[in-house]
Amino acid sequence: MSSQTGARSFGLSEHDKGVILVVAATLAWSASGIYSRLLTTDAWTAIAWRSLFGGLFLLIPSFFLEGGMSKRQWRSVLRPSGLAMIACQTFSQACFIGALYTTSVANVAVIYATAPFIAALLGWFLLRERVARRTMAAGAVCLLGVMVIVGSSVGGGTGLGDLLALGMTASFAMIIVIPRINPGVPSLPSTIVSAFLTLALFAPFGSVGSLDLHNWIVLAAFGATNFSIALVLFLAGARHMPPAKAALIGTLEIVLTPMWVWLFFAERPPAATFAGGALILAAVVWHILVEARRGGR
């Protein structure tokens, strides 16, 4: 009897399992900078083949998530909302890798953190959804942070990368909004299709000859962990906790992504990134905490 009680005391609740899964997803996402710095191939090749591996590894969990591989699910990608999801995801993935190649990892991470506020703005513009004042205030602070980062990059050689990061963030914000326009559109089929479409679009511009064993391994790991496994872990973990808490754990990515590159590759972010990133991180955390407190009430 005592042994059974002890076993139960060490058991994890559904909430604890959710936290572990979301933390694992965040760690997988935060490794993007490491993968991009380990690659020795050009950006076009990285965009194409990372997407291929991501799509292949996402095929397996797609049998068990969002209703499985039903015909209805896959027919949905041919609807306007499904095609819009595919276009936004393809553009977002291309901008993501391009940004990692042309600006600092820290800049990409902190600019990407503004996606929820851009989504709120798009929701107001496209759906006339009401935007709370606290969201507008946090979004304004994030915009100021982005202006600090991008403004310091003008003439510094990373302006294009920062704009690509902003393009990635805006297109990802559209991915958030599209299901609100059509709640029936599933995300996994369009994600898989966009992965193979990205390969078809960008492989002709790349160089397969530059892919030695080292690059193949890194790209396979990049696509498997950062593209597919992280998504599956987050979807599984977020079911067992309030959305605000899952989002709060996810903000660790803003800190961890540049930290890994700083530790392993001595890539020190510029001072403007520290200043702008501090503004963005503070605004994001403040907004999530306020939302969590109001949700608790």
Side-chain angles (χ1 to χ4, degrees):
M1 187 71 171
S2 60
S3 62
Q4 292 177 354
T5 303
R8 282 196 298 268
S9 65
F10 285 101
L12 295 175
S13 67
E14 292 300 312
H15 176 271
D16 293 336
K17 292 176 184 177
V19 170
I20 292 173
L21 290 171
V22 172
V23 169
T26 303
L27 289 172
W29 274 323
S30 71
S32 59
I34 296 177
Y35 290 127
S36 67
R37 295 305 180 254
L38 287 173
L39 289 171
T40 58
T41 187
D42 61 275
W44 304 106
T45 306
I47 292 170
W49 295 99
R50 182 253 189 184
S51 296
L52 171 66
F53 285 114
L56 289 175
F57 280 99
L58 200 56
L59 278 173
I60 298 174
S62 67
F63 282 96
F64 309 99
L65 299 173
E66 291 189 347
M69 301 276 281
S70 65
K71 292 182 180 179
R72 184 186 65 81
Q73 294 278 66
W74 287 95
R75 279 199 298 266
S76 66
V77 302
L78 300 177
R79 298 173 183 170
S81 56
L83 294 174
M85 285 281 282
I86 292 172
C88 289
Q89 288 169 329
T90 301
F91 183 76
S92 181
Q93 291 301 320
C95 287
F96 174 53
I97 302 299
L100 288 173
Y101 266 72
T102 50
T103 190
S104 70
V105 172
N107 284 20
V108 178
V110 297
I111 291 174
Y112 176 65
T114 64
F117 303 105
I118 297 177
L121 180 63
L122 290 172
W124 169 80
F125 181 74
L126 296 175
L127 302 173
R128 297 301 180 212
E129 292 181 336
R130 180 179 174 271
V131 181
R133 291 182 179 179
R134 58 185 176 277
T135 302
M136 295 176 61
V141 174
C142 286
L143 177 60
L144 178 61
V146 171
M147 291 174 62
V148 170
I149 295 169
V150 176
S152 68
S153 301
V154 176
T158 62
L160 174 60
D162 292 344
L163 290 177
L164 287 173
L166 194 57
M168 169 199 70
T169 304
S171 56
F172 186 78
M174 274 299 302
I175 295 170
I176 297 174
V177 173
I178 290 172
R180 300 182 69 85
I181 299 174
N182 182 5
V185 59
S187 60
L188 287 182
S190 60
T191 302
I192 294 171
V193 172
S194 72
F196 295 118
L197 177 62
T198 302
L199 171 70
L201 290 176
F202 291 93
F205 300 99
S207 173
V208 180
S210 65
L211 291 173
D212 54 14
L213 180 61
H214 165 81
N215 283 309
W216 279 120
I217 293 174
V218 174
L219 284 169
F222 200 175
T225 60
N226 187 260
F227 188 104
S228 57
I229 294 178
L231 175 61
V232 173
L233 289 174
F234 187 85
L235 290 175
R239 297 175 182 176
H240 303 295
M241 67 178 67
K245 188 165 188 177
L248 184 60
I249 295 173
T251 58
L252 288 172
E253 183 187 355
I254 307 171
V255 178
L256 291 175
T257 302
M259 187 187 74
W260 300 138
V261 180
W262 192 355
L263 289 176
F264 292 110
F265 301 95
E267 182 180 299
R268 180 182 174 84
T273 301
F274 280 107
L279 288 172
I280 293 171
L281 181 61
V284 170
V285 172
W286 171 80
H287 186 268
I288 292 173
L289 291 176
V290 170
E291 290 293 314
R293 190 179 301 116
R294 291 178 66 88
R297 290 174 184 170

